[in-house]
Amino acid sequence: MGDRSMYLTNWNALASLDDEALPLLDAALLIARDEYPDLDTELYAAQVQAHADALRDEVAAIEPSALKMAAINRHLFVELGYSGNHDEYYDPRNSYLNQVLDRRLGNPISLALVQMEVARRLGIPLDGVSFPGHFLVRLPVDGGLLVMDPFNGGRPLAVEELRERARPHLGEPPDDKVLLQILSPAPNRAILVRVLRNLHGLYAEAGEWDRAARSIDRVLTLTPEQPDAVRDRGMAYLELGYLPGARQDLAHYLQLAPEAGDVDQVRERLIHASASRTVLH
């Protein structure tokens, strides 16, 4: 991967990597460093490695991959006490990996990330799944898939439960073909974008527009020219009173998505931004 230290501090260098080379753990810690600038990324990377090292001999002695995964889940979710934060699901700390490792609390995608990173260090090809609603993980086993819910202790999910979980988002339970498509592995870049979008949504809902703008700007660093992200950054800039940035992003969104359902609303906001004057503080 080249000089790893460069990717731990430089978003543009990180974003230039192909998806296969994009280091999931390092990038997740870089997201956390935006909120916690003094964060020691090496310390937290070592903590994940320590989780894997503690399991290495036990997992090596187990043959079936499903049982290897059961040992990993027992260590993470029972012995170490990682769990889904059901009481404060929308706490932004659930999305920052340093806080997840410190508090042993997280949301589905952050817990999946810990689970995946530990499993992969033990040679187990655990992948994330951008399932509708809650993020899941999957492991190929005996010609099929073992799908697990990291938010609920890594519990395996049967096919019928997966269909029912997807039903509210699709309007009907998916057939086998659609379900397999939904269960496709999520690329690292898509996982990081989902973390950042979660943060953007939380901060926008709370009116913390500086953090909302920061989160969605990181999305655009990883996936340039994404229309919804361009629009969302423009809206955040507008709320912050940064009118040149708002005008540029909202106009660009109208060029990127001229047929989108919200173009009239965005055009109205652009007119408002163009008619306003930038106030310098």
Side-chain angles (χ1 to χ4, degrees):
M1 187 176 68
D3 185 2
R4 177 171 173 267
S5 64
M6 177 171 63
Y7 303 118
L8 288 171
T9 58
N10 189 318
W11 268 96
N12 290 326
L14 192 75
S16 69
L17 296 171
D18 293 336
D19 193 83
E20 296 77 13
L22 191 60
L24 187 59
L25 178 65
D26 291 342
L29 289 170
L30 199 56
I31 291 172
R33 184 178 269 178
D34 278 341
E35 183 67 14
Y36 304 94
D38 296 328
L39 183 149
D40 184 344
T41 55
E42 294 289 356
L43 178 67
Y44 288 99
Q47 188 170 332
V48 173
Q49 185 63 50
H51 290 347
D53 290 342
L55 282 159
R56 194 167 304 281
D57 291 343
E58 179 184 359
V59 168
I62 300 172
E63 185 58 34
S65 57
L67 294 182
K68 290 178 183 284
M69 199 64 234
I72 293 171
N73 287 341
R74 183 174 62 252
H75 184 63
L76 291 177
F77 299 113
V78 178
E79 295 169 6
L80 295 180
Y82 283 95
S83 64
N85 193 345
H86 294 266
D87 294 333
E88 296 180 299
Y89 186 84
Y90 297 105
D91 187 331
R93 291 178 296 177
N94 295 329
S95 291
Y96 291 120
L97 200 60
N98 61 317
Q99 290 287 333
V100 175
L101 292 167
D102 284 343
R103 302 166 70 227
R104 306 288 166 91
L105 283 172
N107 58 25
I109 195 166
S110 65
L111 292 169
L113 201 151
V114 174
Q115 195 182 16
M116 290 161 57
E117 288 294 314
V118 170
R120 289 174 178 181
R121 280 162 172 73
L122 296 169
I124 299 171
L126 189 66
D127 286 316
V129 176
S130 289
F131 203 80
H134 281 186
F135 198 85
L136 303 173
V137 295
R138 52 165 271 172
L139 178 69
V141 289
D142 299 327
L145 286 176
L146 173 62
V147 181
M148 292 163 282
D149 180 358
F151 193 65
N152 290 288
R155 182 172 67 84
L157 301 175
V159 171
E160 287 310 313
E161 183 173 354
L162 290 168
R163 292 191 204 281
E164 287 305 310
R165 286 189 177 207
R167 180 204 292 265
H169 305 276
L170 302 179
E172 60 184 8
D175 59 26
D176 288 348
K177 182 178 179 180
V178 172
L179 185 59
L180 280 174
Q181 290 175 341
I182 296 173
L183 292 172
S184 296
N188 286 351
R189 187 173 258 96
I191 293 172
L192 296 168
V193 165
R194 185 158 171 166
V195 171
L196 288 162
R197 280 207 160 277
N198 285 346
L199 284 167
H200 167 265
L202 293 174
Y203 288 135
E205 180 70 21
E208 296 185 48
W209 293 107
D210 53 343
R211 288 181 166 90
R214 180 188 70 199
S215 300
I216 207 67
D217 184 67
R218 296 308 193 194
V219 171
L220 286 167
T221 301
L222 290 172
T223 56
E225 301 293 289
Q226 190 178 109
D228 287 356
V230 171
R231 175 203 61 205
D232 291 344
R233 187 176 65 178
M235 292 296 192
Y237 283 162
L238 190 59
E239 295 289 344
L240 289 169
Y242 176 43
L243 299 181
R247 287 193 288 265
Q248 180 175 330
D249 277 351
L250 296 181
H252 190 37
Y253 172 71
L254 294 175
Q255 293 174 342
L256 290 171
E259 304 299 324
D262 62 352
V263 291
D264 290 340
Q265 176 189 357
V266 172
R267 188 174 290 112
E268 182 179 337
R269 300 302 298 272
L270 176 59
I271 292 170
H272 172 75
S274 300
S276 302
R277 297 178 60 187
T278 301
V279 178
L280 301 179
H281 297 282

